[in-house]
Amino acid sequence: MEVGDLVKVKDACRYLSDRKRWVGHVGVVMETGCFPDWEWMGNSTCIKVFICGTVEKILLEDLEIV
């Protein structure tokens, strides 16, 4: 994935209830190669995505290119 790509959030059972609101939404990649702030995810790579009016960190494996 590259900056500017349109991505869609896949359904992910590990998401917390407040993060499930993004499932099915389309966003734009803002930055790649960042790391999540969530300690329980370890060193999983995430992507910063502009979605639902904010920039959020979402795990790479939870995104698909539209």
Side-chain angles (χ1 to χ4, degrees):
M1 286 183 205
E2 297 179 12
V3 174
D5 285 348
L6 285 176
V7 292
K8 182 177 180 181
V9 181
K10 298 187 233 177
D11 189 15
C13 61
R14 70 175 161 266
Y15 271 156
L16 301 172
S17 60
D18 65 328
R19 299 198 179 266
K20 286 188 183 259
R21 69 179 181 264
W22 301 322
V23 172
H25 287 275
V26 175
V28 178
V29 174
M30 301 298 287
E31 181 182 335
T32 60
C34 62
F35 293 97
D37 297 330
W38 319 300
E39 295 176 7
W40 55 276
M41 289 308 297
N43 286 335
S44 296
T45 301
C46 70
I47 306 290
K48 284 188 181 178
V49 178
F50 181 74
I51 191 166
C52 297
T54 62
V55 176
E56 301 291 344
K57 290 181 179 179
I58 301 177
L59 295 176
L60 177 62
E61 57 266 18
D62 295 334
L63 296 171
E64 60 186 25
I65 295 177
V66 175

